[in-house]
């Protein structure tokens, strides 16, 4: 396979937008044209739940319009976005799509990294590539969002080669991680939002390198640790559920590993996931625990009716579905109230405890 850079990626947008294309900036078709085809504004086909999605969006649009005006006023005349209580409150109430890439970049530190490393992303694309890395990424491209019209091989505009470039560059940038399954979906969502390869790369670096360290390393120690941390939090926030889950060793890996490794992609509705990510980039990984705890606490009665391991596994699939998670605005309000107080100090303490236990339980020399 020849090296595929942003110059060889399918050209997106309208004729005449060449300068934006050269910068790796792309444009997607209008919302109106997509909705006619039962496709959401992000390119996902919604043949099964289009009516419920459209009904939710019809109600949500007033919130979006209100937030958009307030964000535009907040950002007017500003070249940089400061982190303060006002911006934090705005982020929790949702970042409009037109400002999302800018806020994610500023809040995560990705913009600072991009500015301080000019040309670095393109240098990664221009280097000689590891054949195994290229092959592994290529195999996963066709499995990435097959229900999204922009990620199909013959899509015009298309995002598949853009995604390939971002993953390839990141694999060379972070050789300790390289590439593993799950990263394609995360990079895919980021590409949909930023429509810019270089920004997507630096947001991947912020997520995988700083916000979620060791989630995607070969040992996945960070991921394993946070699954167990959730179990500890459930014991204190929903004791009856914690007692039930304690009957099944290793249960948290079975029921929530996908929640964490894919950051709720294909678990929760896309609007809800993006609202979670707004807070994730701004506030860090604590948000993931708030989301998971909210799902568990809200659905305690259903979980407590489970009588077997298969029942529990099926229940955890079902609790992520339905009107509660589809209504992203109400759901996001709940994640900051339903779990109660949750400090970073508590999470760090539990991480130390759970990580030590995982390492002690692992076979091999100490």
């Amino acid at each position: 396979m020849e090296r595929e850079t942003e110059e060889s990626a399918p050209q997106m947008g309208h004729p005449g937008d060449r300068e934006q294309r050269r910068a790796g900036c792309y444009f997607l078709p209008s919302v109106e044209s997509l909705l006619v085809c039962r496709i959401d504004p992000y390119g996902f086909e919604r043949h099964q739940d289009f009516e419920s999605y459209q009904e939710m969006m019809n109600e949500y649009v007033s919130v979006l319009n209100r937030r958009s005006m307030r964000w535009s006023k907040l950002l007017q005349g500003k070249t940089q976005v400061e982190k303060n209580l006002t911006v934090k409150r705005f982020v929790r109430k949702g970042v409009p799509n037109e400002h999302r890439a800018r806020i994610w970049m500023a809040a995560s530190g990705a913009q600072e990294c991009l500015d301080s490393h000019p040309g670095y992303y393109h240098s990664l694309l221009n280097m000689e590539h590891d054949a195994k890395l290229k092959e592994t990424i290529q195999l996963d491209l066709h499995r990435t969002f097959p229900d999204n019209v922009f990620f199909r091989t013959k899509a015009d505009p298309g995002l598949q080669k853009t995604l390939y470039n971002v993953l390839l560059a990141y694999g060379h940038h972070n050789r300790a991680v390289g590439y593993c399954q799950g990263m394609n979906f995360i990079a895919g969502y980021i590409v949909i939002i930023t429509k810019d390869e270089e920004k997507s790369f630096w947001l991947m670096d912020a997520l995988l390198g700083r916000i979620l360290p060791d989630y995607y390393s070969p040992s996945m120690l960070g991921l394993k640790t946070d699954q167990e941390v959730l179990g500890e939090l459930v014991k204190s926030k929903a004791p009856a559920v914690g007692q039930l889950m304690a009957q099944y060793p290793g249960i948290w890996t079975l029921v929530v590993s996908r929640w964490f490794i894919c950051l709720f992609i294909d678990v929760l509705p896309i609007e809800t996931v993006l609202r979670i990510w707004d807070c994730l980039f701004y506030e860090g990984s604590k948000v993931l625990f708030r989301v998971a705890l909210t799902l568990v606490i809200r659905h305690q009665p259903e979980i407590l009716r489970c009588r077997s391991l298969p029942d529990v596994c099926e229940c955890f699939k079902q609790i992520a579905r339905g009107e509660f998670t589809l209504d992203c605005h109400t759901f996001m309000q709940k994640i900051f109230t339903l779990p109660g107080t949750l400090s970073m100090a508590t999470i760090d303490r539990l991480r130390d405890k759970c990580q030590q236990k995982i390492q002690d339980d692992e076979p091999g020399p100490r």
Side-chain angles (χ1 to χ4, degrees), residues 210-226:
R210 296 189 296 279
I211 299 174
L212 303 170
D214 274 344
Y215 263 46
Y216 303 91
S217 64
S219 69
M220 291 188 164
L221 182 58
L223 175 67
K224 294 174 184 176
T225 298
D226 281 0

Side-chain angles (χ1 to χ4, degrees), residues 60-74:
Y60 187 42
V61 70
S62 62
V63 175
L64 290 173
N65 290 338
R66 187 167 64 249
R67 300 314 306 167
S68 181
M69 288 188 290
R70 291 179 179 176
W71 270 104
S72 295
K73 184 178 180 180
L74 178 72

Side-chain angles (χ1 to χ4, degrees), residues 15 28 36 81 96 106 138 151 162 202 251 258 269 277 293 303 319 324 332 352:
L28 301 183
V36 169
V81 182
Q138 191 67 49
F151 284 92
T162 303
W202 286 112
I251 185 65
R258 190 160 169 247
W277 284 26
L293 285 169
I303 297 171
I319 65 175
F324 179 58
M332 291 305 293
D352 289 341

Side-chain angles (χ1 to χ4, degrees), residues 56 268-269 272 276 290-300 302 318-339:
M56 183 278 293
L268 299 177
T272 306
I276 292 167
R290 284 198 166 277
V291 173
L293 285 169
T294 298
L295 290 170
V296 171
I297 294 169
R298 169 83 177 197
H299 296 283
Q300 284 187 83
E302 297 98 302
Q318 295 301 323
I319 65 175
R321 301 169 183 167
E323 291 184 11
F324 179 58
T325 55
L326 184 60
D327 182 357
C328 60
H329 200 56
T330 301
F331 182 80
M332 291 305 293
Q333 291 173 339
K334 291 293 185 183
I335 76 167
F336 292 109
T337 56
L338 203 56

Side-chain angles (χ1 to χ4, degrees), residues 104-245:
W104 286 7
M105 291 289 291
S108 66
Q111 187 64 53
E112 184 179 351
C113 288
L114 187 156
D115 293 341
S116 60
H117 297 84
Y120 177 67
Y121 171 71
H122 297 287
S123 73
L124 293 170
L125 291 178
N126 290 327
M127 70 187 298
E128 185 176 347
H129 299 311
D130 178 85
K132 182 63 176 177
L133 176 66
K134 290 170 61 177
E135 180 185 1
T136 307
I137 294 171
Q138 191 67 49
L139 283 172
D140 264 3
L141 283 183
H142 301 290
R143 303 169 187 158
T144 306
F145 304 135
D147 58 340
N148 189 297
V149 296
F150 301 127
F151 284 92
R152 290 174 183 164
T153 306
K154 297 181 180 179
D156 183 23
L159 293 176
Q160 201 174 80
K161 287 189 178 179
T162 303
L163 174 63
Y164 173 85
N165 286 345
V166 172
L167 292 172
L168 185 65
Y170 188 80
H172 285 293
H173 166 69
N174 188 345
R175 293 180 183 273
V177 170
Y179 172 79
C180 76
Q181 289 185 337
M183 289 168 56
N184 52 324
F185 296 110
I186 293 169
Y189 262 40
I190 293 174
V191 164
I192 288 172
I193 295 301
T194 67
K195 308 170 192 70
D196 182 292
E197 286 185 21
E198 192 169 15
K199 289 180 179 179
S200 296
F201 166 80
W202 286 112
L203 284 169
M204 284 286 285
D205 179 60
L207 264 181
L208 277 57
R210 296 189 296 279
I211 299 174
L212 303 170
D214 274 344
Y215 263 46
Y216 303 91
S217 64
S219 69
M220 291 188 164
L221 182 58
L223 175 67
K224 294 174 184 176
T225 298
D226 281 0
Q227 290 167 176
E228 296 306 315
V229 169
L230 176 60
E232 293 296 317
L233 290 170
V234 169
K235 288 178 185 177
S236 62
K237 303 284 186 180
V241 174
Q243 190 173 4
L244 170 70
M245 302 295 272

